Amino acid sequence: KMSGWLRGVVKEVVSGDCVVIAGAVKAGPPPEKRLTLSSIVAPKLAKRDGTTKDEPYAWQSRELLRKKLIGQPVVFKVDYMVEQLGNREFGSVFLGNINVAEAMVSAGLAKVRAGGAQQSPYLEALQKAEEKAQLAGLGVWTRDPAAHAEAVREVQPVEAFDATSFMQMNGKGSEVQAVVEAVSNGGMLRATLLPDFQLATIVLCGVQAPSMGRRVAPAATAPATDGADAPASTPSSMPPGPSAAAIAGASNAEPFAFEAKSLTESRALNRDVRLIVEGVDKYNNLFATVLLPPAAASGTSNGNGAKAEDESLAELLVKAGYAKCAEWSLNLMSSGSQRLRDLEKAAKQQRVGMWVNYVPPPTNQTKLSDSFTGKVIEVVSGDCLVVKDQSSGVERRLQLSSLRAPRMGTRDRAADPYATDAREFLRKRLIGREVTVKMEYNRKVAPAGELVATPGEERVLSFGNVEIVPEKGEEKQNVGELVVARGFASVIKHRGEEERSCIYDRLMEVENMARSAKRGIHSAKEPPANRINDMSAPGHAAKAKQYLPFFQRNGKMQGLVEFVLSGHRLKVTIPKEGVTIVFAPSGIKTPARAQPASMGKPAVQGEPYAEEALQFTRENALQRECDISVDTMDRGGTFLGTITLHPPHPQAKPLNLPLALLRQGLAKLQPTVDPSRLPGGAELVNAQRSAKEARLKIWEKWTPEMDRAEEDDEEEQGPSASGAASAPKEVLQVVVTEVVDASEFYVQRIDEPRVAWIANQIAAATQGEGPAIPPQLKVGALCLAQFSLDKQWYRAYVERKDPLSDSFYVFFIDYGNREKVSDKCIRTIDSGLAAVPPQALMCGLAYIKVPVAGSEHAGEAKSFLAQLLGGNQPMTASVISKERPQAKDDARHPKWQGGGCKRIVTLQETATQADVAVELLCAGLARLPSQRRAPPAMREALAAYAPYQDEARSARRGIFTYGDPGDSEDEDAPKPAGAWGRR
């Protein structure tokens, strides 16, 4: 049992023989101990003011110790204390089983201190390590004078650093490597800039941390002596000053200043950091973004093998509530300023750190001051736009300042008069155009459909002033003035203290002119009717199909893209027909988007680049006029055909949407569609080929071998002898959950997310006592049943009731096993759980015949197969054919509902690629059907299995013990695989 040993984390490495160790606390700055390594002396570093230089290998000594210890948990013990040095403590530090002092001496970067009454308990080991380093000529013991001279840095003092010259030489946005030497406060650091070893003061850009205030002077200490009890050499730093508590009590530090400094020290002090140079202020201070190594810097991975990204020190401080955004400093940042604003907003809402007593201002408006240039993506209404910021690529929704246009309709409310006209007026002038936006204020409003907003549930609307960037020959136009002048919006009458548009007076003048001219909403005339039948809503497929003959006869029709559902599915309004439909280009498909959990179905993860495809189509198709031709319609009510988008400018070319998606690598040709039958099919094929060769987006992992493999599969799955077309081969990653006999077993797909979702839902539903068995629980009903072995609840199907007891025979639909359970172990099932399809897939082995149930070797074959497939080991199942239920089978049984068929598969262990059919053949527990009666394409597979059957026949194993059971000419013909027709 160790006595006097303590644990801590190394916070700072002062020199090659001195460290600062921090203890563990739940909150607030941790206690610290400055410890000099016993009985060793490292070369001294230069002083900050430049009055002394580095001793040879001083920097290398400090760097070795820093990289080894900083941020690492250590075990340490104070060996002795020297009063003459201000009660300086000397001790031993261990990193795991490594004596740190011994490691420094072994590397030749520290010497053993000779003499003195007090020594390290490990002095003998240190002396042996020093002898080895001397013999090897390591570090300070080198015999090479040139190496000795090169081991001295040329240190530039802090006073010699000129931030303005440094900024001009490196440029804004340049990256500089540095080592943080000291932390003045949470937002100010002193760092050594590499590789020039220039000491510089760095101020965090974009934020302001609480000030530490003015410190008290350190207490006087006794001067050091050169007596026998004092070490021969000590670090060049001053004796320790007053404690953190004493400083806090004797200084005017701002609240949370010590917490901010502690956070910065714990993450940045003595760390290798990257500085992104942002700017210089008038006081010659260098402002930079400080990027820290990840918290788990030793592993540098985020848990899934990927390299972890560096973290911004400013973001960490703002998130913890230990710093606030400084607008003047944010403007210097080349990127990341909005991220800091968002983090500050979140910290205020959560009331963390300095925001613990934060009270929002008593107003529903907040003044804004940012401006940006972007492109209009969508016109939501006569006073609402969606603009894509050119600098950040973010879509920003904004209202026109001080204006109110007629409201657009919803499912529960019709549109106000002139609402559609106002939106159409702006759409024709703005969609796809470049605009400049000056944001002016925010306003909190009640959620849609509510008159009064509940605190915390308000919507925040951003208001701004929008101007169209003029093209050649055009004049600058203000969007607010245009819509008011046309009579499609009114000017809001603000209260005296409310924020308003910067051109409010001009808007009032324009409104008076529109009112005098009786335009739009100021007119006494009946507003124009807008009658459009919406066939795009779910459940309207039958009604939408009535339009198909008209669309096919009309050929090319003009439409307007109202909404983008996915990368290739659009809502298109055809004014001539007065209808809105769902339309998709024929022959292509973009990646599927993520779907949230609903109706008993778990959430579905989106495919890669689904959002990029959606964004591309939104930017190029939303609210654009188009020409479409309808060829057909799918079962979901989506019309299929060709589409060409009109350009936003007359001089631009029309856009072929499917061709553009293929060229961008955001869509692929559907394998079931023959491109030669599509208009421009050859061009589509060439576009996809070009995207593949360039490895764009969805083709980033494509290789030519993939196409050749697909072609080989198509050749193998060519027309059979009977002339039926083959189905594509399906490969599943599965685990076997139940073996019924050698001819039937059940599997679950490894990549099926609904298995875990079902388990979670059942666990929640079976907490506590369950209800009694309801009278309607009959044969054929679904329920929850408790399995006897693990006492867990699973979904089950009632096959029959025991006439002699209150028990039921059930089939567990997600695993394929059966059991007799009492009525106390059965509960009702929620409709959402019952709606999820069974997860157990019924399978059988392809190309082989196994002993039928009840025969001599049937039990042995089942046991052998169960042994091969047990243990939940991953298996690869290649589907060869699918068997449909026969007339004698109950097609309503859940075993037929897991895909609607029985899959006939070849089964291989994923890890070893061992074929289960081969194992059964070698054991003599299966045989091959006659090749004479097999289809030609099946004979190749049978020929590959034949040697294993011959081996079992020669060794007289299993069914071949008393001869060959397959010699008879009366054996049944083999069951045809899926490539030669389905049952």
Side-chain angles (χ1 to χ4, degrees):
K1 183 176 181 180
M2 295 186 298
S3 176
W5 290 92
L6 302 173
R7 297 183 183 272
V9 175
V10 177
K11 169 188 171 182
E12 181 182 3
V13 177
V14 181
S15 63
D17 58 2
C18 183
V19 296
V20 177
I21 303 175
V25 293
K26 294 183 178 180
E32 301 173 1
K33 182 176 287 293
R34 188 185 184 102
L35 197 66
T36 302
L37 299 179
S38 299
S39 298
I40 71 169
V41 178
K44 296 180 181 179
L45 291 166
K47 292 185 178 180
R48 294 204 311 266
D49 57 6
T51 56
T52 62
K53 291 187 176 182
D54 277 358
E55 293 182 356
Y57 292 97
W59 174 259
Q60 292 82 349
S61 175
R62 202 290 294 268
E63 283 298 278
L64 175 63
L65 192 60
R66 180 182 70 84
K67 293 179 179 179
K68 184 185 292 291
L69 292 186
I70 196 67
Q72 298 295 325
V74 296
V75 178
F76 67 96
K77 179 182 180 181
V78 178
D79 297 328
Y80 54 89
M81 182 174 64
V82 178
E83 295 181 356
Q84 295 88 338
L85 297 178
N87 293 329
R88 177 167 295 178
E89 295 176 319
F90 294 78
S92 303
V93 179
F94 278 77
L95 177 65
N97 295 324
I98 301 174
N99 186 334
V100 175
E102 185 177 349
M104 295 298 295
V105 173
S106 298
L109 297 177
K111 296 181 179 180
V112 178
R113 176 175 54 82
Q118 302 181 89
Q119 293 287 358
S120 168
Y122 307 97
L123 179 61
E124 185 177 350
L126 294 176
Q127 292 172 340
K128 291 181 180 179
E130 185 178 55
E131 292 174 2
K132 293 181 181 179
Q134 288 177 343
L135 292 175
L138 299 178
V140 297
W141 307 110
T142 182
R143 302 173 185 88
D144 185 0
H148 214 68
E150 291 176 358
V152 178
R153 295 182 302 161
E154 289 294 331
V155 182
Q156 304 295 327
V158 176
E159 293 76 14
F161 180 70
D162 186 357
T164 303
S165 301
F166 182 83
M167 177 73 179
Q168 293 174 349
M169 181 177 62
N170 290 274
K172 182 178 176 61
S174 59
E175 183 176 309
V176 180
Q177 301 293 328
V179 177
V180 177
E181 301 291 351
V183 176
S184 301
N185 59 47
M188 183 176 292
L189 319 170
R190 187 176 73 249
T192 298
L193 306 182
L194 302 177
D196 299 326
F197 302 105
Q198 171 67 63
L199 284 171
T201 298
I202 308 298
V203 181
L204 289 186
C205 192
V207 300
Q208 180 179 354
S211 171
M212 293 294 296
R214 186 172 54 189
R215 302 186 189 183
V216 296
T221 56
T225 66
D226 55 354
D229 293 337
S233 175
T234 60
S236 59
S237 57
M238 296 294 292
S243 64
I247 294 176
S251 69
N252 56 350
E254 296 178 352
F256 295 96
F258 293 97
E259 289 82 351
K261 181 181 179 183
S262 177
L263 175 60
T264 301
E265 287 179 335
S266 66
R267 292 303 310 275
L269 185 58
N270 277 177
R271 261 66 167 195
D272 294 306
V273 299
R274 291 190 296 129
L275 305 179
I276 308 300
V277 180
E278 304 287 10
V280 179
D281 66 1
K282 61 182 180 180
Y283 301 107
N284 204 33
N285 293 317
L286 180 64
F287 286 76
T289 298
V290 179
L291 300 180
L292 308 172
S298 58
T300 66
S301 105
N302 56 12
N304 57 8
K307 187 176 180 180
E309 296 181 355
D310 290 351
E311 298 177 291
S312 168
L313 176 58
E315 291 181 6
L316 293 176
L317 288 167
V318 173
K319 184 177 181 180
Y322 296 152
K324 59 184 177 181
C325 291
E327 193 65 32
W328 54 271
S329 181
L330 283 170
N331 295 331
L332 296 175
M333 298 182 65
S334 54
S335 63
S337 58
Q338 187 59 42
R339 169 72 175 164
L340 290 175
R341 290 189 180 98
D342 294 340
L343 289 173
E344 183 186 52
K345 181 180 178 181
K348 288 179 177 178
Q349 293 174 346
Q350 298 170 8
R351 289 180 168 82
V352 295
M354 65 172 63
W355 309 112
V356 64
N357 296 319
Y358 172 75
V359 178
T363 176
N364 65 341
Q365 289 188 347
T366 305
K367 185 175 178 60
L368 301 177
S369 59
D370 63 312
S371 301
F372 65 94
T373 301
K375 183 172 70 172
V376 178
I377 300 298
E378 180 182 2
V379 177
V380 181
S381 65
D383 59 358
C384 182
L385 310 175
V386 176
V387 182
K388 182 177 181 180
D389 190 338
Q390 288 183 352
S391 60
S392 64
V394 176
E395 292 186 4
R396 301 178 66 172
R397 187 185 180 106
L398 59 98
Q399 311 287 129
L400 297 179
S401 297
S402 301
L403 298 186
R404 180 180 293 115
R407 296 182 301 173
M408 296 297 298
T410 64
R411 293 182 180 180
D412 304 325
R413 174 179 50 80
D416 292 345
Y418 293 100
T420 304
D421 303 87
R423 186 185 68 170
E424 184 66 9
F425 172 79
L426 288 184
R427 184 195 68 79
K428 290 181 178 180
R429 285 159 178 78
L430 296 182
I431 203 70
R433 291 291 301 269
E434 185 177 356
V435 296
T436 57
V437 181
K438 180 182 178 182
M439 301 305 299
E440 297 182 312
Y441 59 91
N442 284 344
R443 174 179 294 168
K444 294 181 179 180
V445 299
E450 298 183 15
L451 297 177
V452 179
T454 304
E457 297 182 0
E458 307 95 335
R459 291 186 301 150
V460 178
L461 302 182
S462 299
F463 292 79
N465 189 52
V466 181
E467 293 183 343
I468 303 174
V469 175
E471 297 180 349
K472 188 175 182 180
E474 291 184 344
E475 294 182 357
K476 201 170 187 178
Q477 294 178 308
N478 185 281
V479 176
E481 290 185 29
L482 287 177
V483 71
V484 172
R486 189 58 183 84
F488 289 139
S490 58
V491 181
I492 298 174
K493 304 301 186 289
H494 293 288
R495 299 188 182 95
E497 71 279 3
E498 290 183 339
E499 300 290 344
R500 63 194 67 197
S501 172
C502 61
I503 58 168
Y504 187 78
D505 294 338
R506 175 60 183 164
L507 292 176
M508 294 294 294
E509 294 177 8
V510 173
E511 184 182 34
N512 291 332
M513 290 188 290
R515 184 178 289 109
S516 300
K518 297 183 178 180
R519 295 173 181 167
I521 58 177
H522 309 294
S523 173
K525 296 180 180 179
E526 189 72 18
N530 182 39
R531 298 184 178 89
I532 297 292
N533 293 325
D534 190 357
M535 296 290 106
S536 63
H540 285 66
K543 293 182 179 180
K545 192 172 183 180
Q546 299 174 3
Y547 288 88
L548 180 60
F550 302 99
F551 292 161
Q552 291 173 331
R553 287 198 299 266
N554 289 342
K556 183 183 293 187
M557 299 177 292
Q558 290 189 350
L560 176 66
V561 179
E562 295 282 358
F563 191 75
V564 177
L565 300 170
S566 69
H568 69 288
R569 294 181 71 242
L570 317 168
K571 284 178 65 173
V572 179
T573 295
I574 306 174
K576 182 179 178 181
E577 300 294 339
V579 65
T580 299
I581 62 173
V582 179
F583 181 87
S586 298
I588 71 160
K589 185 180 185 301
T590 57
R593 298 179 64 194
Q595 299 294 332
S598 64
M599 300 298 292
K601 296 182 180 180
V604 178
Q605 187 175 3
E607 297 178 356
Y609 296 104
E611 294 304 318
E612 286 83 347
L614 174 69
Q615 187 61 34
F616 177 85
T617 304
R618 271 181 56 85
E619 188 169 346
N620 291 278
L622 183 59
Q623 292 190 334
R624 303 287 178 87
E625 296 176 356
C626 61
D627 293 330
I628 66 171
S629 297
V630 174
D631 299 326
T632 184
M633 174 180 164
D634 65 14
R635 291 179 296 178
T638 301
F639 291 89
L640 306 176
T642 60
I643 179 170
T644 303
L645 299 167
H646 295 184
H649 309 292
Q651 62 272 23
K653 295 182 180 180
L655 179 68
N656 186 324
L657 180 61
L659 187 62
L661 286 167
L662 290 171
R663 285 174 175 169
Q664 294 292 325
L666 293 173
K668 63 174 65 176
L669 290 171
Q670 295 193 14
T672 57
V673 177
D674 184 1
S676 63
R677 297 184 179 182
L678 299 174
E683 194 174 6
L684 296 177
V685 173
N686 292 336
Q688 177 168 282
R689 184 184 300 112
S690 299
K692 286 182 177 180
E693 294 172 353
R695 307 298 196 276
L696 296 178
K697 303 297 192 305
I698 63 175
W699 305 113
E700 60 183 354
K701 297 182 181 179
W702 173 86
T703 60
E705 289 74 15
M706 294 180 180
D707 283 354
R708 286 195 287 269
E710 291 179 2
E711 293 173 0
D712 294 341
D713 289 344
E714 291 176 0
E715 293 177 1
E716 293 176 2
Q717 298 170 358
S720 66
S722 61
S726 66
K729 195 173 186 180
E730 183 182 9
V731 179
L732 308 176
Q733 297 299 321
V734 301
V735 292
V736 178
T737 58
E738 178 69 11
V739 176
V740 179
D741 55 39
S743 63
E744 181 180 326
F745 54 91
Y746 291 85
V747 302
Q748 280 184 355
R749 296 184 62 163
I750 295 177
D751 58 353
E752 176 54 70
R754 286 180 288 188
V755 174
W757 181 84
I758 290 170
N760 293 336
Q761 295 296 315
I762 293 177
T766 54
Q767 292 180 354
E769 294 294 332
I773 295 295
Q776 62 269 24
L777 186 61
K778 300 178 181 178
V779 174
L782 289 179
C783 63
L784 295 178
Q786 190 179 46
F787 188 46
S788 60
L789 294 183
D790 59 6
K791 303 301 181 183
Q792 298 298 316
W793 294 85
Y794 302 97
R795 297 193 302 165
Y797 172 83
V798 179
E799 292 187 321
R800 59 191 177 94
K801 187 178 186 304
D802 187 358
L804 302 179
S805 65
D806 294 331
S807 300
F808 296 85
Y809 292 89
V810 299
F811 172 80
F812 292 98
I813 65 175
D814 296 321
Y815 295 89
N817 56 322
R818 292 174 168 84
E819 189 174 56
K820 178 182 178 181
V821 297
S822 68
D823 57 356
K824 297 181 180 179
C825 297
I826 292 183
R827 296 185 181 181
T828 56
I829 188 171
D830 181 76
S831 58
L833 274 174
V836 181
Q839 299 303 302
L841 306 180
M842 181 169 53
C843 298
L845 291 173
Y847 301 126
I848 63 173
K849 288 189 172 184
V850 294
V852 298
S855 62
E856 179 182 359
H857 296 281
E860 184 182 357
K862 174 185 175 181
S863 299
F864 186 77
L865 182 62
Q867 183 180 359
L868 289 175
L869 304 182
N872 284 332
Q873 55 183 323
M875 310 290 289
T876 302
S878 300
V879 180
I880 305 303
S881 66
K882 295 180 180 180
E883 293 183 357
R884 304 297 180 185
Q886 304 294 318
K888 62 181 180 179
D889 298 321
D890 183 7
R892 296 174 298 177
H893 195 285
K895 71 178 183 179
W896 293 105
Q897 302 304 316
C901 61
K902 177 179 180 180
R903 293 166 171 81
I904 306 301
V905 302
T906 60
L907 206 59
Q908 294 179 322
E909 293 183 12
T910 303
T912 63
Q913 298 299 310
D915 193 320
V916 175
V918 169
E919 300 293 336
L920 286 169
L921 289 170
C922 290
L925 296 175
R927 62 188 178 91
L928 299 174
S930 172
Q931 295 189 34
R932 295 193 305 272
R933 301 184 182 183
M938 185 178 180
R939 294 173 188 169
E940 183 179 353
L942 296 178
Y945 283 120
Y948 305 105
Q949 177 177 265
D950 295 340
E951 177 188 347
R953 183 186 290 113
S954 301
R956 297 290 181 179
R957 300 191 191 112
I959 60 177
F960 300 104
T961 302
Y962 302 108
D964 190 347
D967 288 343
S968 172
E969 296 292 339
D970 299 329
E971 66 176 355
D972 297 334
K975 297 176 181 179
W980 305 281
R982 292 183 176 178
R983 293 194 171 190

